[in-house]
Amino acid sequence: MRCPYCAHNEDRVLDTREQREGELIRRRRECLKCKARFSTVETLSVSFPLVIKKDGRREPFNKEKILKGLQAACQKRPISLAQLDGIVERISNWVIQRGDKEISATLIGKKVTHELRLLDDVAYIRFASVYRTFKDVQEFVETLEDQETLDIYESSAQLPLAPERTVIVEKSSNEAPSPRNRPADIISN
């Protein structure tokens, strides 16, 4: 590393610290010629894929564009910047893990929409209304109703935690035993 003060190429590392969960390494260095101290920061160089826009243009993936879109959708909502940064990081990691050289803006938009839907309903509706092109208000309402129906179906299809079993309860009088449904005991005695 070249010294910023005397331009000498030799130095020694005095201290090394990891920051942001190992994504960044900060090193404190000392020039061997002039004894000046300076800090350097090392980060992993990641190449993101190109984003294919709706009109066919290609542009580099940009985290800032996603963050700006999220901030616009979440304006005046009780959502912290840390939550938005977390969404941006999850989407960025998802894009990298796909391993594609190009990815469509539509696919990224669907991922952003999904993340917002989990975070805040109002922000989700705001983003979806801008991101998706609707002919009129009726089409927008129908799309939202279809999503709600899908949510109801997905939540009702949930499996029970414990299997049901029928237990016969005997009564002391001459009445017939009546079946009663209850979850199976998880711990047997």
Side-chain angles (χ1 to χ4, degrees), residues 73-81 83-84 119-120 122-123 126:
C74 297
Q75 191 173 7
K76 296 185 181 178
R77 299 296 303 155
I79 299 169
S80 69
L81 186 58
Q83 288 174 302
L84 297 180
L119 182 68
D120 186 76
V122 173
R126 286 178 180 170

Side-chain angles (χ1 to χ4, degrees), residues 10-46:
E10 294 183 35
D11 62 49
R12 69 182 183 122
V13 175
L14 302 173
D15 186 32
T16 301
R17 296 180 188 214
E18 285 187 5
Q19 294 178 338
R20 281 197 266 158
E21 299 174 7
E23 293 179 14
L24 190 101
I25 298 175
R26 181 181 169 97
R27 297 191 195 277
R28 190 74 179 143
R29 298 174 182 267
E30 181 180 55
C31 176
L32 296 177
K33 183 178 178 186
C34 69
K35 303 294 184 202
R37 292 185 176 191
F38 56 97
S39 295
T40 59
V41 177
E42 298 174 21
T43 59
L44 180 63
S45 177
V46 179

Side-chain angles (χ1 to χ4, degrees), residues 128-189:
S129 67
V130 173
Y131 161 70
R132 298 205 34 203
T133 308
F134 296 103
K135 289 185 291 189
D136 55 13
V137 175
Q138 185 60 34
E139 183 183 356
F140 179 67
V141 170
E142 287 171 3
T143 303
L144 289 178
E145 287 173 351
D146 289 344
Q147 288 294 329
E148 286 179 12
T149 305
L150 182 62
D151 286 345
I152 291 168
Y153 173 75
E154 287 175 354
S155 64
S156 67
Q158 185 175 5
L159 297 174
L161 292 175
E164 294 280 329
R165 73 174 185 184
T166 303
V167 177
I168 304 294
V169 178
E170 294 186 27
K171 296 185 178 180
S172 59
S173 64
N174 291 338
E175 295 177 21
S178 62
R180 182 176 71 173
N181 287 334
R182 69 177 190 130
D185 292 333
I186 295 175
I187 302 173
S188 60
N189 292 336

